[in-house]
Amino acid sequence: MPEAYGFTGYGGPETQRFLALPKPVPGPGELLVEVYAAGVNPVDWKVRAGMHRAFLHLDLPAVLGREVAGVVEQLGEGVGEFEVGDPVFGSSARGCGGYARFALLTARQTALKPAALSFTDAAALPVAVGTAYDAVGQLGLLADETLLILGIGGGVGVAAAQIAREAGVSVIGTASAAKREFVESLGATAIAYDRDDFDEQLEKVLPTGVDAVLDLVGADALDGVSALISPECRMLTVAAPETAARFGARSLSRQNSTKTLTELARRVEDGRLDPHVRGVFPFEEAAAALREVESGHPWGKVVLEMRRG
């Protein structure tokens, strides 16, 4: 039975494989959890590709994955807010390690999982939904303002749309034409980026521009909507720093606290937020799950399931 899935060298998918590694040992401020589910995110393949090497130093081979839901197996020194046997969800310690039977979490970025919240939904919250929550907050959106989400169909965009709509914000999102009904089910207006009349759609839906832009695509996505961007427009982006600077946009940043995770779980419990986990892959199909995300066209959130809770 495979214990972990990761990569042996920086590069493409050919470096990925199942790994036989010893059970991790929690350090100060860490939890060891038996993993029930792990979220799959674009950042995972970017780590494998070496795009984060400047600030994330890993010993290879390394295990992929930044968000986990599971049951506490062991407590590290100084961890007093959790007990062995607690169901929890949170962010992988040391930057990765979630695609595994056992993983380390950082206690201050971990929360108790409510009984009504499934492990697969919980595993979608720390990175994707947490990023959306922080982004909407950082944009300072007010009721009746307009938010344009570039790449609304993925895990972050789906959550950001719901959070913004709850605050009374009008949400417009770019996605493939195939996702139109899905985007509209979120209470957002869809603009198909893969149609020849993309510019005409933008002008029709947003004749006076937008108050804020959340760019989850990066690359040259902001260039494609530059006509809508006024000096007063607030922008957050995943694009490279030079692109962000050219548009006066800020890079996405995370708070990623226990308080935030607890609030997100509460919203899922009471029905205000749906992480839209639409792709659940068994652990043995980790390569296929990551390939789905790396393709850039997932519907909602993709999660690996290690065991059923």
Side-chain angles (χ1 to χ4, degrees):
M1 180 179 294
E3 294 300 316
Y5 188 78
F7 62 105
T8 57
Y10 292 107
E14 71 279 357
T15 70
Q16 297 168 193
R17 63 201 60 193
F18 284 102
L19 304 167
L21 298 174
K23 184 183 296 187
V25 177
E30 295 178 345
L31 310 166
L32 176 69
V33 302
E34 181 182 4
V35 180
Y36 282 49
V40 182
N41 296 283
V43 69
D44 299 339
W45 69 260
K46 292 176 182 179
V47 167
R48 182 214 66 217
M51 298 169 67
H52 293 188
R53 291 177 70 178
F55 51 88
L56 180 61
H57 304 289
L58 300 173
D59 294 325
L60 300 180
V63 180
L64 292 163
R66 290 199 175 189
E67 56 186 352
V68 159
V71 174
V72 176
E73 176 91 358
Q74 185 180 348
L75 304 174
E77 180 183 350
V79 178
E81 59 271 46
F82 300 101
E83 297 180 358
V84 171
D86 281 343
V88 296
F89 65 104
S91 295
S92 304
R94 310 172 196 180
C96 61
Y99 295 10
R101 300 289 178 183
F102 293 90
L104 298 176
L105 300 186
T106 302
R108 59 183 173 80
Q109 297 176 344
T110 298
L112 290 170
K113 184 192 76 65
L117 180 65
S118 70
F119 282 99
T120 50
D121 278 356
L125 301 183
V127 172
V129 180
T131 296
Y133 182 82
D134 290 341
V136 171
Q138 289 166 32
L139 286 169
L141 294 162
L142 303 174
D144 298 323
E145 287 193 312
T146 301
L147 169 65
L148 173 62
I149 301 177
L150 305 180
I152 196 172
V156 179
V158 164
Q162 295 174 77
I163 293 166
R165 288 292 299 129
E166 186 185 6
V169 175
S170 176
V171 177
I172 316 297
T174 65
S176 65
K179 293 183 180 179
R180 183 181 188 88
E181 289 187 10
F182 176 50
V183 172
E184 292 178 345
S185 75
L186 305 172
T189 299
I191 295 179
Y193 64 75
D194 55 355
R195 279 177 32 180
D196 293 337
D197 63 344
F198 177 69
D199 291 339
E200 289 81 357
Q201 293 179 74
L202 285 175
E203 185 175 355
K204 179 180 179 180
V205 175
L206 297 165
T208 60
V210 294
D211 298 297
V213 176
L214 176 57
D215 170 28
L216 302 172
V217 177
D220 58 356
L222 288 174
D223 288 292
V225 298
S226 59
L228 301 174
I229 300 174
S230 69
E232 295 77 28
C233 182
R234 293 102 69 191
M235 288 177 285
L236 291 175
T237 182
V238 296
E242 56 269 22
T243 300
R246 183 157 53 88
F247 284 93
R250 291 179 291 155
S251 296
L252 278 170
S253 61
R254 294 293 322 281
Q255 300 299 317
N256 206 18
S257 66
T258 297
K259 181 179 179 181
T260 295
L261 294 177
T262 301
E263 170 62 19
L264 294 175
R266 184 180 300 116
R267 293 185 182 210
V268 176
E269 274 192 292
D270 64 23
R272 288 181 290 158
L273 178 63
D274 183 347
H276 283 276
V277 177
R278 295 170 67 98
V280 178
F281 290 74
F283 185 35
E284 292 74 18
E285 297 179 18
L290 189 53
R291 184 167 58 249
E292 174 79 6
V293 172
E294 192 167 359
S295 73
H297 302 291
W299 290 60
K301 180 68 179 179
V302 174
V303 169
L304 288 175
E305 188 173 57
M306 281 62 170
R307 58 171 290 177
R308 295 186 181 275

